[in-house]
Amino acid sequence: MVQVYPSILAGNLGALCSEIEKVESASGIHLDVMDGHFVPNISFGPQTVESLRKHTDLYFDTHLMIERPRRYVEAFAQAGADRLTVHIEGSHKVGATLEDINGYGIDAGVAINPTTPIDEVSNYLDSIDTLLIMGVEPGFSGQKFQPQTVEKINRVNSLTDVEIEIDGGINQETGQRCAAAGADSFVAGSAIFSYPDTRQALIRLKKRIERGT
């Protein structure tokens, strides 16, 4: 079954709780954490995650686009994250970071940027629940989907049966292409929150993506 995680960063940041209520039918919420170093943007930290956790039981798919994520594993785990995904390109020992995440009993993921070869994650596939493939350069929403993402999905499927998540540039058309290649879950921001009826936008997007499976 296709899973769609609305990226709350694309919503109204002044009314996050009400934005989450609009997408309660989603598989979960995607939380983009950015530190201004790993990517040229800043979003929010564990305090925001903890605050939002009090208002929903939705799965928190937490994407750490930060330089040294191992420092913050405990804080985000205790704040209520259900999955922590870290970038292979960050300045940290990936294996040790994943071990810490697994030690807190939450799901672990690894993310790779568009220019990073799939082979660089091969040593970590046994330690993760999800491989997040970026369809755009991380840091800003609204970018154009990079077509080599589909080739990466095919490559991953030849190596493992781990969950494949796609983040960046996802809309009805690109989602269908990725689903046809074997992707399992999708992060969408503007494809959901840019529409007046957010609830219907989510339902419509998921249905269209499922046509590609």
Side-chain angles (χ1 to χ4, degrees):
M1 178 182 294
V2 165
Q3 300 183 80
V4 176
Y5 296 97
S7 176
I8 199 66
L9 193 62
N12 180 356
L13 298 183
L16 287 180
C17 291
S18 61
E19 292 287 67
I20 289 176
E21 289 177 1
K22 297 175 185 177
V23 293
E24 282 287 346
S25 65
S27 303
I29 296 296
H30 188 80
L31 299 164
D32 287 308
V33 177
M34 299 180 282
D35 63 357
H37 297 284
F38 182 74
V39 293
N41 203 352
I42 298 174
S43 58
F44 43 72
Q47 294 87 354
T48 302
V49 176
E50 182 179 13
S51 178
L52 294 177
R53 174 49 74 204
K54 298 174 183 178
H55 297 277
T56 181
D57 293 325
L58 279 174
Y59 187 92
F60 278 3
D61 178 26
T62 311
H63 182 188
L64 302 183
M65 290 178 277
I66 59 180
E67 193 64 31
R68 292 178 173 81
R70 193 180 182 190
R71 296 180 176 182
Y72 302 97
V73 168
E74 180 179 5
F76 279 103
Q78 292 182 348
D82 295 293
R83 174 162 66 212
L84 291 179
T85 297
V86 299
H87 273 262
I88 198 164
E89 302 91 356
S91 298
H92 65 114
K93 295 180 179 179
V94 178
T97 303
L98 294 174
E99 185 176 344
D100 288 353
I101 295 171
N102 287 318
Y104 281 97
I106 60 178
D107 295 335
V110 161
I112 57 171
N113 289 340
T115 57
T116 302
I118 286 294
D119 291 342
E120 292 196 18
V121 304
S122 58
N123 292 334
Y124 308 109
L125 294 175
D126 291 337
S127 302
I128 62 176
D129 303 280
T130 302
L131 174 61
L132 189 158
I133 301 175
M134 294 298 300
V136 301
E137 290 296 330
F140 293 94
S141 62
Q143 298 180 63
K144 186 176 180 180
F145 179 80
Q146 299 195 22
Q148 69 266 31
T149 305
V150 177
E151 299 172 11
K152 285 188 172 184
I153 297 170
N154 290 321
R155 174 63 176 149
V156 173
N157 280 326
S158 71
L159 297 174
T160 180
D161 60 356
V162 71
E163 177 186 345
I164 301 173
E165 182 176 37
I166 310 300
D167 182 3
I170 291 298
N171 54 36
Q172 295 176 15
E173 186 268 331
T174 58
Q176 282 189 352
R177 287 165 54 193
C178 292
D184 305 292
S185 56
F186 303 84
V187 177
S190 57
I192 295 173
F193 289 105
S194 64
Y195 291 90
D197 193 333
T198 305
R199 292 183 176 88
Q200 286 303 313
L202 169 62
I203 294 170
R204 182 170 58 248
L205 177 65
K206 184 175 181 180
K207 287 181 177 179
R208 293 290 177 85
I209 291 177
E210 286 175 342
R211 293 180 184 176
T213 59

